[in-house]
Amino acid sequence: MASKILKRENGIILALDMETREKALEICRETSDFVDAIKVGYPLILNTDPAIIGELKQFKKPIITDLKVADIPFVSKRICEAAVKSGADYVIVHGFVGSDVVKACSGVARIFVVAEMSHAGAEEFITKDALMIADIAREYAEGIVAPATRPQRIKELRKAVGDLIIISPGVKAQGANIGDATMAGADFEIIGRGIYEATNPKKAAEEFSKRIR
Ligand code: 3DU
């Protein structure tokens, strides 16, 4: 695999799930010095335009498109190709759909695989298979997504994925404390509302990155 383009300085990936382009650009302008990558997903892309992916590249950070791709291999590959064409540096792909999907996506994009999710309902299905999903990720992905809300699971997943990058959502708004995921073995904490809904997003991002480092 080519060298990794996601480098750890602040330990934060900024999640943008707001509804307007203006708000997204404003938050990036205020906080981009304190984050290592920008993650964009359906709420922002569908409320604006896929061109927002390319537009965010002005902040000179890797752009992760959180599309949680989970279709048949042919369609999943097309989705990844379109994301890369729009400017995505990484695409987030589901692992529960199987190795053929993950393999197809990895042929056209740098990918992160969702190994396990952060919300309560994750325990109904995906948690049970997370370690098997991690094995698939190890073969095809640059990293995995693992839940900051369950640090013990991050420890187990770290053992399973070796030196793959672990990115971890669930911080602040979903209940995990800043630094919990990092202490358990994650490389980056994904933070959305904890930053963009803060009274002073710049101060919040700066303080969180200090604590994580
Ligand atoms: O809860 P926040 O506002 O900090 O946002 C978390 C982001 O991480 C959000 O974009 C969501 O789609 C993503 N994410 C999870 O929250 C949980 C997962 O298991 C996977 C992705």
Side-chain angles (χ1 to χ4, degrees):
M1 187 179 284
S3 71
K4 292 172 178 164
I5 53 174
L6 179 55
K7 303 265 189 281
R8 189 173 189 278
E9 283 176 23
N10 297 292
I12 294 179
I13 295 172
L14 172 66
L16 299 177
D17 295 307
M18 60 284 286
E19 294 173 313
T20 70
R21 170 183 171 274
E22 291 68 31
K23 177 76 177 167
L25 296 178
E26 181 193 322
I27 292 292
C28 289
R29 266 193 295 274
E30 289 177 12
T31 66
S32 64
D33 284 349
F34 307 109
V35 307
D36 295 329
I38 297 169
K39 184 178 86 67
V40 55
Y42 293 109
L44 185 60
I45 295 171
L46 295 178
N47 276 299
T48 59
D49 188 287
I52 189 74
I53 299 168
E55 202 173 355
L56 291 168
K57 290 177 82 78
Q58 67 184 282
F59 299 102
K60 312 270 184 246
K61 302 285 171 178
I63 305 298
I64 302 172
T65 48
D66 189 352
L67 302 175
K68 295 195 181 68
V69 181
D71 212 311
I72 56 170
F74 174 80
V75 176
S76 294
K77 181 177 165 192
R78 281 238 158 127
I79 295 169
C80 291
E81 283 170 332
V84 170
K85 208 166 131 196
S86 297
D89 297 293
Y90 291 93
V91 184
I92 295 181
V93 174
H94 260 304
F96 73 83
V97 275
S99 57
D100 51 354
V101 172
V102 175
K103 183 179 179 189
C105 293
S106 72
V108 295
R110 289 169 185 270
I111 62 168
F112 285 102
V113 168
V114 181
E116 182 167 339
M117 296 189 73
S118 59
H119 60 301
E123 293 188 355
E124 293 168 17
F125 298 103
I126 198 169
T127 298
K128 298 182 190 75
D129 293 326
L131 291 172
M132 283 192 292
I133 295 172
D135 281 343
I136 296 173
R138 203 164 175 171
E139 194 164 345
Y140 298 109
E142 208 157 298
I144 60 164
V145 183
T149 47
R150 295 187 206 93
Q152 184 53 36
R153 296 293 296 161
I154 297 180
K155 286 186 189 164
E156 287 161 34
L157 286 160
R158 171 52 80 201
K159 281 189 209 142
V161 298
D163 64 356
L164 248 56
I165 300 171
I166 297 183
I167 64 176
S168 189
V171 184
K172 296 294 285 182
Q174 296 181 53
N177 296 316
I178 300 284
D180 285 357
T182 307
M183 296 280 284
D187 299 291
F188 298 90
E189 301 195 11
I190 297 172
I191 311 174
R193 287 165 289 177
I195 292 176
Y196 68 75
E197 286 183 355
T199 319
N200 185 334
K202 181 178 176 178
K203 227 170 117 188
E206 186 173 14
E207 191 200 314
F208 297 161
S209 82
K210 262 192 207 145
R211 275 158 64 184
I212 289 170
R213 278 186 281 122

